[in-house]
Amino acid sequence: MARLHWLEAVLPLGIIGGMLCIMGNAQYFIHKAAHGRPKHIGNDMWDVAMERRDKKLMEQSSGN
């Protein structure tokens, strides 16, 4: 019986892993619904500046 002692940890680890997956997917779908596209992983200052530039260019082109 002592050989299967590790089996007691499988159920809690499965529950914890399942909840992490559910919460990750929930965040993904909420962000996608709010912004219309998946979240860009690893955004740095350059990416943020380029997004601002692109947004400004799109506003200028639609205004003309």
Side-chain angles (χ1 to χ4, degrees), residues 3 6 8 10-11 13 15 17 37 43 50 56-57 60:
R3 295 177 65 187
W6 61 271
E8 292 179 10
V10 172
L11 182 62
L13 287 175
I15 292 171
R37 59 187 171 151
N43 256 359
M50 290 298 106
K56 188 186 298 184
L57 289 173
Q60 287 177 356

Side-chain angles (χ1 to χ4, degrees), residues 4 10 14-15 18-20 23 32-34 40 42-43 55 58 60 63:
L4 298 177
V10 172
I15 292 171
M19 290 297 126
L20 286 172
M23 288 308 300
K32 190 173 179 183
H40 183 173
N43 256 359
K55 189 174 183 180
M58 292 301 289
Q60 287 177 356

Side-chain angles (χ1 to χ4, degrees), residues 32-51:
K32 190 173 179 183
H35 298 284
R37 59 187 171 151
K39 186 175 182 179
H40 183 173
I41 305 298
N43 256 359
D44 58 358
M45 290 176 58
W46 176 262
D47 293 325
V48 172
M50 290 298 106
E51 284 182 12

